[in-house]
Amino acid sequence: MNTFVWSDLSPGEAWKAWRETKIRLSESVLDRPPVALDALRHPGAEAVAEMKYRCSVCNFARYEVPEAGESVEATSEALIGLARHFGLVGPEDHRSAGSHGVVALRTSSDEAKRGYIPYTRRPLSWHTDGYYNMASERVQGFILHCFRQALLGGENQLLDPEIAYLRLRDENPDYVRALMHPEAMAIPENREPDGSLRPESVGPVFFPDKITGRLQMRYTARTRSIRWRDDETTLAAADWLRDYLSSGDPLMRQVRLQAGQGIVNNNVLHNRTGFEDGASEEDVRIVLRVRFQARVAEELHGAA
């Protein structure tokens, strides 16, 4: 893919070439079926190469494995093995993580999880993971793996942040400029259940990864506990982006992960519909998540 500087908003040939290539390649891979892995720990070289390619094109890749998970603990350990094939090491130190750094997302009434929507059946609005983190702790990539599917619901919509950038830039380049401002979006400080204080997080919505130059995004569509820069263009850009995500895009994809299926991604935009669990403990939806401060290793570096 041709390269250009994300903050260069002039309508030059580099931008036109990248835009055309981005859409063409995205259309060519988004409807491919999930990549079949030999196993989580040992996915197979061809499968890994295909997933890296998909991540280089549209920042996420779906996969499926034939074996059923023996247990949450064993599957979590295998998931860390899978991550290493993509250069994802050193999981985030999350307060709800298990022994391998993997978080089991399921309905919970635990004190440490109470009030946090990922641990309820309620829908999750559009966001990127860790949008509330400090710049030094930004989530750049993560894996979602379905251990057990919900009885009903629990679908995810996925959108490549580079496509959101592309659409926003088509609408108004000044909107992109506003959302790249270092003070575009602020998340107020928050007192955690354990009494610790999560400091205020201020930063841009769009920014380049320091290592690869690829675009990253930090975003939430929520309207509470968020402060946008008090600037007319910034507020208009935030409104447009929220409406755009609600309206949909031909390059969005909706998936309902089945047991053994998952997504490796560079912290793409995503949401989740509400869901229903079954009546017994064995029928509770469980999705495993592990997050990293690095992107998926790739050969194609795209835009700089």
Side-chain angles (χ1 to χ4, degrees):
M1 294 174 66
N2 293 332
T3 62
F4 66 97
V5 178
W6 297 108
S7 57
D8 179 3
L9 300 175
S10 59
E13 291 303 315
W15 157 247
K16 294 176 183 178
W18 180 87
R19 183 186 185 282
E20 178 184 351
T21 304
K22 179 69 183 182
I23 293 175
R24 175 174 53 81
L25 291 180
S26 295
E27 290 174 339
S28 74
V29 303
L30 280 173
D31 288 329
R32 295 181 186 180
V35 178
L37 309 185
D38 294 339
L40 278 181
R41 287 185 182 85
H42 307 291
E46 290 186 6
V48 170
E50 173 65 15
M51 290 179 65
K52 285 183 177 180
Y53 173 72
R54 295 188 191 188
C55 285
S56 74
V57 170
C58 55
N59 279 302
F60 69 89
R62 295 183 295 136
Y63 68 83
E64 58 186 12
V65 290
E67 82 273 13
E70 301 171 2
S71 65
V72 168
E73 179 75 10
T75 305
S76 296
E77 183 178 5
L79 206 58
I80 295 300
L82 175 68
R84 294 192 187 101
H85 290 276
F86 299 96
L88 299 174
V89 296
E92 173 191 47
D93 184 19
H94 193 275
R95 65 177 180 277
S96 299
S99 58
H100 302 289
V102 177
V103 176
L105 298 173
R106 58 182 297 168
T107 53
S108 175
S109 59
D110 290 351
E111 181 65 29
K113 300 174 182 177
R114 192 175 300 163
Y116 292 94
I117 296 179
Y119 305 101
T120 72
R121 301 182 186 90
R122 295 161 56 193
L124 280 164
S125 61
W126 283 101
H127 67 286
T128 59
D129 270 29
Y131 61 84
Y132 40 76
N133 286 7
M134 301 294 289
S136 61
E137 299 175 346
R138 282 177 178 151
V139 175
Q140 305 253 57
F142 67 91
I143 300 177
L144 283 181
H145 179 86
C146 182
F147 181 81
R148 186 184 299 136
Q149 192 180 51
L151 180 66
L152 293 171
E155 293 96 345
N156 296 108
Q157 280 184 296
L158 309 169
L159 180 67
D160 181 354
E162 293 179 1
I163 294 298
Y165 167 98
L166 184 156
R167 305 301 192 199
L168 191 71
R169 182 166 170 164
D170 282 350
E171 176 68 19
N172 187 344
D174 287 339
Y175 286 174
V176 174
R177 183 175 291 107
L179 296 187
M180 293 190 83
H181 191 281
E183 297 178 358
M185 188 179 83
I187 306 299
E189 64 181 23
N190 180 63
R191 182 69 64 179
E192 300 284 4
D194 63 3
S196 62
L197 186 68
R198 187 182 71 206
E200 180 184 48
S201 173
V202 181
V205 172
F206 294 109
F207 57 94
D209 174 56
K210 292 181 179 179
I211 297 176
T212 66
R214 290 293 293 267
L215 190 72
Q216 292 284 147
M217 192 173 182
R218 167 183 171 269
Y219 177 75
T220 175
R222 67 187 300 176
T223 55
R224 298 174 56 190
S225 300
I226 181 174
R227 186 178 71 252
W228 292 99
R229 183 167 173 255
D230 191 10
D231 166 80
E232 182 178 349
T233 305
T234 303
L235 297 175
D239 287 342
W240 187 91
L241 186 55
R242 189 180 301 111
D243 291 343
Y244 156 71
L245 291 171
S246 296
S247 300
D249 188 290
L251 295 177
M252 282 180 185
R253 289 298 178 268
Q254 182 162 324
V255 298
R256 184 169 185 255
L257 296 176
Q258 301 176 23
Q261 294 183 334
I263 304 166
V264 175
N265 74 98
N266 292 315
N267 202 1
V268 295
L269 283 159
H270 57 289
N271 63 14
R272 188 197 72 196
T273 64
F275 64 90
E276 293 183 21
D277 284 328
S280 70
E281 182 68 19
E282 288 71 31
D283 294 322
V284 171
R285 179 184 189 266
I286 301 177
V287 172
L288 305 180
R289 184 196 70 200
V290 57
R291 308 197 297 200
F292 303 88
Q293 294 180 36
R295 290 173 56 90
V296 172
E298 61 185 41
E299 298 299 328
L300 289 173
H301 291 292

